[in-house]
Amino acid sequence: MPRSAPSSAPLPPQIAGLPLEFSSAGDDAPLRSLVSAFEADGAANGSTLRRFRWLAAVTGHDVVLGKLFEPHLDAESILEELLGPSPALALRRALAPDGIWAVWAAEGPGRLDAWPDDAGRWRLAGRKSWCSGAQRVRAALVTARDPQGGPRLFAVSLRQAGITVTDEGWHAVGMAATASVDLLFDAVPAQPVGAPGAYVARAGFWHGAAGIAACWHGAAAAIAEPLRARVARAGASADGLLAAHLGAVDCALSASATALSAAAVAIDAHRAGGPAFGQRGALQLRGTVEAAAQRVIDACGRALGAAPLCRDTAHARRVADLGVFLRQSHADWDLAALGRLAAPEEGAWRL
């Protein structure tokens, strides 16, 4: 069923004129339009902050669109980092020329196994859970267990025999349109990408984790827009409680934006040979942005009441979608990991 067009904040000029509404469950045209526009923006390919702004703008417009756009960019970066620019481009053209890619690396209830056949060609068999956009993408990077039982990354075309897109494993209301269902693989040919464990060990793993936070921020900023607009319309006569809630939102989103800008600078410096932007930096960023997004959802709900959640389709969907998207965070488990990383660094918070 087609999704009605969201009524979000104004889009950047590169995006504003694009057809961004999905027409059917398998439609990938909006995503292909976005990818083409992104690739035409030369600055976005060399600047992490520019990339973050794209992710925030797209997700602010439509959370599902952002959820499917981000992995395509991530897949391109992963392939280039692990294979090199020319082999990465050749693989993308071989498996999905002009098609959208996904990254399915989460562990779920199912298990996907990989093994080399008698001819030395790798094959995949089993169930892969959490396959966002399975009906819209043409190829994917998936993690599977190799014969030694360890995780390894594989590139696979989804337009070949042996793959079944089920209707199982996804009954969400928020993010329903991502259709993050289970896929079944039956001896499907695939190509290994990097050595065993390379997907997580590479420097860019935590850079990609930071990109998710930019998506969260964009959605949260769009959720805050009705509250900002209402206080702005009232001007000096704005209700004090509404203004106070907007003040809390301003603090949260300003901190989130500042954290994203600082992370973008740190990631670019890392890529240029400077200090590493690793797990601690990524978890700090994600924790900051997640907390800000949760604060925005709560403050806007308390300030505006049920009306926008019941009468504004786009706002209601955005709140529901972001609530599910935020659970891509590991929440307190990530905070526990961050605490263990922070504990040895006495004085790390001094100005």
Side-chain angles (χ1 to χ4, degrees):
M1 182 177 184
R3 291 159 54 91
S4 58
S7 56
S8 66
L11 287 166
Q14 302 97 322
I15 306 175
L18 300 179
L20 298 181
E21 182 180 354
F22 291 121
S23 63
S24 65
D27 180 23
D28 68 348
L31 290 164
R32 286 188 286 107
S33 295
L34 280 173
V35 169
S36 295
F38 179 84
E39 290 174 348
D41 182 2
N45 292 296
S47 164
T48 300
L49 182 57
R50 185 83 166 186
R51 182 188 186 100
F52 282 179
R53 286 172 175 163
W54 269 85
L55 293 172
V58 172
T59 314
H61 176 72
D62 185 328
V63 182
V64 167
L65 197 62
K67 176 67 174 75
L68 301 180
F69 176 59
E70 184 277 334
H72 177 88
L73 302 187
D74 196 29
E76 291 183 340
S77 297
I78 293 166
L79 288 169
E80 186 163 327
E81 183 175 8
L82 292 180
L83 301 179
S86 295
L89 181 59
L91 181 61
R92 286 168 48 205
R93 286 176 173 170
L95 296 189
D98 301 321
I100 299 302
W101 284 70
V103 179
W104 299 328
E107 296 293 330
R111 173 175 170 133
L112 189 63
D113 290 306
W115 75 95
D117 62 19
D118 292 340
R121 188 174 189 184
W122 285 87
R123 294 185 178 273
L124 304 178
R127 178 182 292 261
K128 190 67 177 176
S129 302
W130 312 117
C131 297
S132 295
Q135 292 182 314
R136 302 186 195 278
V137 302
R138 300 295 181 91
L141 296 178
V142 301
T143 51
R145 297 286 169 175
D146 65 17
Q148 288 70 46
R152 190 167 184 179
L153 190 67
F154 293 86
V156 59
S157 168
L158 301 175
R159 298 297 190 265
Q160 57 181 323
I163 298 175
T164 301
V165 179
T166 75
D167 59 359
E168 301 166 5
W170 193 247
H171 306 290
V173 176
M175 284 292 200
T178 64
S180 302
V181 295
D182 293 359
L183 262 63
L184 303 179
F185 292 80
D186 183 9
V188 175
Q191 181 166 328
V193 178
Y199 167 67
V200 174
R202 65 195 171 87
F205 179 81
W206 295 109
H207 301 175
I212 298 292
C215 296
W216 295 342
H217 177 86
I223 287 170
E225 182 59 22
L227 176 58
R228 185 210 60 78
R230 183 164 170 178
V231 175
R233 285 195 300 270
S237 62
D239 180 273
L241 286 178
L242 289 182
H245 281 302
L246 183 59
V249 165
D250 183 44
C251 288
L253 288 177
S254 294
S256 177
T258 298
L260 282 160
S261 296
V265 171
I267 288 170
D268 286 344
H270 184 192
R271 287 174 174 156
F277 179 91
Q279 183 180 16
R280 187 179 179 195
L283 293 182
Q284 285 175 333
L285 174 65
R286 286 165 65 109
T288 298
V289 177
E290 179 187 358
Q294 295 283 17
R295 185 72 181 93
V296 167
I297 292 172
D298 181 64
C300 290
R302 293 171 69 88
L304 301 176
L309 293 171
C310 301
R311 293 177 174 270
D312 183 337
T313 302
H315 180 81
R317 181 189 295 130
R318 191 173 287 117
V319 171
D321 287 348
L322 181 57
V324 175
F325 199 178
L326 287 172
R327 296 283 54 83
Q328 190 166 334
S329 154
H330 300 114
D332 290 351
W333 283 269
D334 279 352
L335 293 178
L338 181 57
R340 294 185 185 98
L341 292 169
E345 296 193 31
E346 183 178 355
W349 307 316
R350 295 192 189 111
L351 291 176

